[in-house]
Amino acid sequence: MFQITRSAPVADVVIIGSGAGGGTATKVLTDLGVHVTLLEAGPMLHPATDFKEHKWPYDYPHRGSGEGGASYFGRGRDFGWFSAHAGGWQLQGEPYSVAEGSKFRWFRSRIVGGRTNHYGRISLRYADYDLKPYSRDGIGTDWPISYEDIAPYYDKAEAFIGVTGSKEGIRSAPDGVFQPCPPPRVHEVLIKKASDKLGIPCIPNRLAVITKPTNGRAACHYCGQCGRGCVTASNYSSAQVQVFPAMKSGKLNLITNAMARELITDSEGRVTAVSYIDKATRTEKQVKCRAVILAASCCESTRLLLNSRGPGHSNGLGNSSGAVGKYLTDNTGFSLGARIPALEGMQRHDSDGMGGAHLYMPWWLWDKKTDFPRGYHIELGGGYGMPGVGSFAGLANRVEGYGDSLKKAIYEDYGTHVNFAGRGEMIPNAGTYCEIDNNVVDKWGIPVLKFHFKWTEAELKQVEHMEKTFTDLIETMGGTVTRSSRPTDQKISTGGEIIHEVGSIRMGNDPQAAPLNKYCQSHDVKNLFVADAAPFVSNPDKNPTLTICALAWRTAEYLAEEMRKGNV
């Protein structure tokens, strides 16, 4: 049994989770004078020691594999030893279940800043039509807000965190408040020439990486290692850009290693406290509050609501609609690459730049009819990136010889490949949702989530279109594609693998159909808000992080005003 310790002070707002949504809400509220207690399930982030931005493979045992890569989770780290995260697909003592017949992978981060420490930083606005999908094609559900409602908050988020890009006037890729994007690399120039021939727009990428000094942060120094973390905070992470500055305000109480367990309510159904497990002492503690914001990540916030089954909430807190856990989606994913003869024999050069592609391809058929609904964008890969463990294993298995002949083959092959990755929209379906598994608990005694996941014909046809498009691009560049004979349902990404889960606590005007209103406030519990991707009504072909930041900013301002009026 855990001993429960109740804190005496009452926080204005308790925020659970310090990622994009929690970090944004924390900074906005503290700037407005609101006292915030921020709970994070992982430890404090120390960029100078936690990030391996300027380390070399030979600085670590086994060059970052074997024992060197296994010290944290007992095995090699997901995304490699050098990646800047404290989490993974599987966390020791924190399982989750997957229903029979389903495949799903759930990536979780446990550190201040969450997934923003290591994500790709692609920052795309949703288009006007993305927010009204049902009105457009009769599939899915319209959001209760329009592009005009969220646009001012996109402006605020982009201006504050810093996003690269260019004004293009493309409806599927709305323009924003942009910093200059670095010029394209050599392989990207070739890709753009091919895309131009095929009538596919290929434009400067929108990345949350500053290219000029912003809010006391230095401009990107183009080391190309953003996935390792950025000591100078030139690329956005909520820890460095929002949480750490908020700590200096005197308005923030940050509690790390605090695993949220349950929301406590009074007889009127209002949240009065958050129960959490102090990982260091293994004791259960409570922090009292006037209001609470869930920002623990889409599925983690869902789990918390479903596990909060106080009086009057036997189906989970804020779940009178029965919709909590439903409408879960992930972006579709498919990749294809090939060797390009035009890239052979080039003089070696520094192609680092930002830690991501300098160009990308927005959805170009948004006004055309296809045999699947919605669309996808295309991400690019290639160049002389820093090799990692196993980088040349495939080549070594294909060529004969060893020693000098193998080294020569590797040298000649290095930098000659390009890769295309599609990220597309998934339509919500009744076969994809999460629920509490009442037969399994984590090491803190908290019931875990059970996932059900299903791709439909819409997503499979979309991936078929991706494969054809990528093949056309590669062949236009002079490369050769060997088509796989695997069926499409084996080529598409596994659910959750793209790490763009959204929608399981959706917003809507009808309390009987949606748990949240248009400000991401619970219809049932007026002092309960959600500020991660769970409120999303659909999952367009854009990475969700920028929209998380924009909606969290909007929700935080609304909450502060409601508190000022005495409504919360």
Side-chain angles (χ1 to χ4, degrees), residues 7-75:
S7 61
V10 178
D12 287 339
V13 178
V14 170
I15 298 176
I16 302 172
S18 63
T24 299
T26 295
K27 184 66 169 65
V28 172
L29 288 173
T30 53
D31 282 351
L32 292 173
V34 177
H35 289 267
V36 172
T37 294
L38 177 61
L39 302 183
E40 166 53 49
M44 174 59 83
L45 172 71
H46 302 284
T49 54
D50 291 341
F51 293 163
K52 302 177 178 66
E53 181 184 359
H54 298 299
K55 297 292 185 179
W56 294 92
Y58 53 71
D59 290 326
Y60 296 96
H62 306 286
R63 292 180 173 262
S65 67
E67 284 184 21
S71 61
Y72 192 87
F73 294 111
R75 56 177 178 77

Side-chain angles (χ1 to χ4, degrees), residues 340-529:
I340 305 300
L343 295 173
E344 297 174 7
M346 281 203 312
Q347 181 179 352
R348 299 301 192 260
H349 61 277
D350 182 353
S351 67
D352 286 347
M354 296 188 297
H358 292 179
L359 302 177
Y360 92 108
M361 301 178 193
W363 179 234
W364 65 102
L365 299 174
W366 58 269
D367 59 346
K368 302 293 190 298
K369 186 172 179 58
T370 61
D371 64 350
F372 60 92
R374 317 299 164 74
Y376 58 91
H377 76 262
I378 305 173
E379 300 174 10
L380 319 179
Y384 297 120
M386 182 182 291
V389 173
S391 290
F392 306 108
L395 176 66
N397 290 331
R398 293 194 305 271
V399 301
E400 295 183 0
Y402 58 93
D404 288 343
S405 62
L406 179 59
K407 290 178 181 179
K408 182 175 184 295
I410 289 173
Y411 182 84
E412 291 175 349
D413 188 71
Y414 176 56
T416 64
H417 291 254
V418 298
N419 180 267
F420 299 95
R423 298 290 181 262
E425 180 163 356
M426 175 185 179
I427 309 299
N429 68 73
T432 299
Y433 61 95
C434 58
E435 61 183 349
I436 294 298
D437 187 335
N438 292 311
N439 298 314
V440 182
V441 298
D442 65 14
K443 63 182 175 182
W444 316 112
I446 306 171
V448 308
L449 280 182
K450 183 176 185 178
F451 292 96
H452 304 253
F453 197 89
K454 176 185 178 182
W455 294 120
T456 69
E457 192 68 16
E459 290 80 43
L460 297 179
K461 285 185 175 296
Q462 184 187 104
V463 165
E464 291 173 358
H465 193 277
M466 289 181 189
E467 185 170 27
K468 182 182 184 307
T469 300
F470 301 168
T471 299
D472 290 345
L473 284 163
I474 290 169
E475 291 179 347
T476 301
M477 296 178 72
T480 302
V481 173
T482 302
R483 294 290 292 267
S484 169
S485 61
R486 294 183 302 151
T488 306
D489 62 358
Q490 294 180 21
K491 297 177 183 178
I492 193 171
S493 55
T494 300
E497 187 175 20
I498 306 303
I499 319 181
H500 291 171
E501 322 92 75
V502 312
S504 51
I505 317 175
R506 61 163 47 181
M507 65 170 81
N509 292 325
D510 182 1
Q512 295 183 342
L516 307 175
N517 67 15
K518 64 181 181 180
Y519 292 103
C520 303
Q521 177 185 28
S522 170
H523 285 296
D524 299 344
V525 185
K526 297 305 180 184
N527 66 340
L528 169 63
F529 297 78

